[in-house]
Amino acid sequence: MRYSRIIGLGHHVPDRVITNDYLSTVMDTNDAWIVERTGIRERRWMDPGQDTVANMAAKATRMALERAKLKETDIDFIVFATITPDYFFPGSGVLLQRELGLDGSIAALDIRNACSGFIYAVSVADQFIKTGMYKNVLVVGAEIQSTALDISTRGRNTAVIFGDGAGAVILQASDKPGVLSTHLHSDGRFAEELYVKDPGSSRPHAERQPEQITDTSTFKVVMNGNQVFKHAVVRFMEVIQEALEANKLRKEDINLLVPHQANLRISQYIQEKLELNDAQVYNNIMRYGNTTAASIPIALSEAWAEGKIKENDLICLAAFGSGFTWASALIRW
Ligand SMILES: CC(C)(COP(=O)(O)OP(=O)(O)OC[C@H]1O[C@@H](n2cnc3c(N)ncnc32)[C@H](O)[C@@H]1OP(=O)(O)O)[C@@H](O)C(=O)NCCC(=O)NCCS
């Protein structure tokens, strides 16, 4: 049986730290509100001229390659999860390929499944490896959310939550189990509960011509926080249970849960339901906010570097986000 294993992890975040106190100088909010409702203390926002989605992804990739003891040319395929590509098109996969100095001999695929994007990308990479098509697949999640936020009191329910960053893993073919299973779901009935409408294509021609656009609010992140929260707590639990049942494992078997960093209260709710202790759940939302598709690979990379992931551990990844989409993965390390 052919499996895929994570053999290298890396991450990169912008240098610019945005504290809750800073945000309280540009909108009506405060540190106490943000910490109590979300757990976030600070996040990183890109420096224009320095950070792009593709170059942050390249930095994360180089760290992952170094840890895997591989070089750029060992990569057979790129799967890039982002909903904030540098360009409207093409996607960021080809830009990363260029940043890495790779020529046209490999393919790059873009995944747009928001906060679940990284697990979707792992799932896709896993299938390509299992079928024998590729040996080393680079899986990336990278985002610049900050430039689409409404950084004013009007946009405070989202502006305080999102951050920028990139994470990467190298999945390699192996005859030993690694990724045990992945579980993917979506429900488009809730698409508009968390979305950025523009630049959408299905509008009258005049409304999409930049010089005619007078209302630019539709270019910003819109979120119905209560709805997202309510669905997230249910779907996170369901999809984790689904993964455990598929592998005939129990919640007690999980060594480390790395949930998408949506909100510390959501992570704590899942932790309580699964009866996991603090050491069994990795959270870094305090430092980075919600970095969408980048959040799980950044957290995985940090957890591994801190020695929290050991050989043979059972690692559970779970995510929920825009779409709605939700997903989980169980990995034997
Ligand atoms: C966004 C979220 C933190 C808001 O928390 P909440 O407890 O639901 O708060 P509400 O939206 O009900 O707002 C409560 C009040 O706080 C206010 N508020 C919103 N953002 C605020 C901020 N940054 N600072 C201060 N007050 C704020 C609201 O205006 C509202 O005021 P009102 O009662 O006078 O109308 C919460 O809904 C959440 O985390 N949802 C999930 C978000 C998520 O995970 N998104 C990513 C999914 S991948």
Side-chain angles (χ1 to χ4, degrees):
M1 176 85 183
R2 195 172 152 106
Y3 296 96
S4 58
R5 291 176 71 85
I6 294 179
I7 57 153
L9 315 94
H11 68 280
H12 178 82
V13 292
D15 294 336
R16 192 155 68 107
V17 177
I18 303 292
T19 63
N20 292 347
D21 285 341
Y22 166 76
L23 290 178
S24 67
T25 66
V26 290
M27 64 186 72
D28 183 11
T29 190
N30 59 75
D31 179 60
W33 192 97
I34 301 171
V35 173
E36 190 200 317
R37 307 286 175 120
T38 70
I40 301 166
R41 295 185 181 273
E42 58 187 43
R43 72 288 289 142
R44 305 297 180 96
W45 283 359
M46 61 92 84
D47 262 322
Q50 182 175 318
D51 301 307
T52 69
V53 168
N55 78 21
M56 290 194 301
K59 288 174 185 164
T61 299
R62 291 203 172 96
M63 186 188 282
L65 285 170
E66 201 182 309
R67 289 171 171 174
K69 298 189 177 48
L70 293 181
K71 49 189 188 315
E72 281 86 343
T73 49
D74 291 322
I75 299 168
D76 300 319
F77 184 42
I78 297 172
V79 188
F80 198 129
T82 185
I83 48 166
T84 54
D86 293 303
Y87 300 140
F88 187 63
F89 72 82
S92 290
V94 292
L95 303 183
L96 173 61
Q97 176 181 24
R98 184 172 68 190
E99 292 269 351
L100 296 174
L102 294 171
D103 61 23
S105 58
I106 67 162
L109 173 73
D110 290 84
I111 302 251
R112 283 175 54 88
N113 289 79
C115 299
S116 310
F118 180 75
I119 300 180
Y120 268 73
V122 166
S123 182
V124 168
D126 184 44
Q127 314 310 318
F128 274 105
I129 287 177
K130 275 187 190 145
T131 56
M133 185 150 170
Y134 297 122
K135 182 178 170 210
N136 294 317
V137 181
L138 167 63
V139 180
V140 177
E143 306 276 3
I144 290 179
Q145 289 290 358
S146 58
T147 48
L149 297 172
D150 180 351
I151 306 170
S152 72
T153 298
R154 193 181 48 183
R156 64 185 176 173
N157 74 322
T158 50
V160 303
I161 288 180
F162 292 99
D164 306 335
V169 302
I170 312 287
L171 277 180
Q172 187 175 70
S174 169
D175 51 12
K176 266 179 56 190
V179 176
L180 300 178
S181 63
T182 54
H183 306 269
L184 313 179
H185 296 274
S186 56
D187 190 343
R189 288 175 299 170
F190 301 98
E192 287 80 18
E193 300 295 344
L194 173 52
Y195 82 133
V196 176
K197 184 170 187 179
D198 282 314
S201 55
S202 53
R203 352 248 335 227
H205 181 267
E207 282 180 28
R208 215 180 147 201
Q209 302 307 301
E211 61 283 1
Q212 315 250 7
I213 296 170
T214 48
D215 175 12
T216 54
S217 63
T218 53
F219 285 78
K220 294 177 178 149
V221 179
V222 171
M223 179 175 78
N224 181 347
N226 288 318
Q227 274 280 47
V228 174
F229 196 102
K230 275 190 220 152
H231 284 261
V233 288
V234 174
R235 298 305 195 185
F236 261 109
M237 284 307 300
E238 274 178 11
V239 81
I240 292 171
Q241 294 293 359
E242 182 185 346
L244 289 169
E245 279 163 27
N247 293 282
K248 300 191 174 42
L249 291 164
R250 298 160 309 147
K251 56 185 174 27
E252 296 76 27
D253 298 317
I254 297 174
N255 295 100
L256 191 69
L257 170 69
V258 182
H260 162 57
Q261 302 291 291
N263 181 322
L264 193 59
R265 285 161 60 212
I266 296 177
S267 294
Q268 286 166 340
Y269 175 87
I270 309 164
Q271 176 176 339
E272 202 184 302
K273 288 275 167 201
L274 292 173
E275 297 174 312
L276 300 175
N277 62 41
D278 287 351
Q280 288 172 291
V281 184
Y282 191 83
N283 288 305
N284 61 6
I285 192 168
M286 306 69 96
R287 286 176 281 128
Y288 303 132
N290 177 346
T291 55
T292 321
S295 96
I296 290 179
I298 295 173
L300 257 188
S301 172
E302 287 199 336
W304 179 85
E306 290 167 22
K308 298 197 160 117
I309 300 179
K310 290 178 285 306
E311 181 99 32
N312 213 37
D313 275 356
L314 183 69
I315 310 300
C316 180
L317 312 181
F320 177 88
S322 169
F324 291 148
T325 59
W326 59 102
S328 65
L330 273 182
I331 302 171
R332 181 65 68 191
W333 209 266

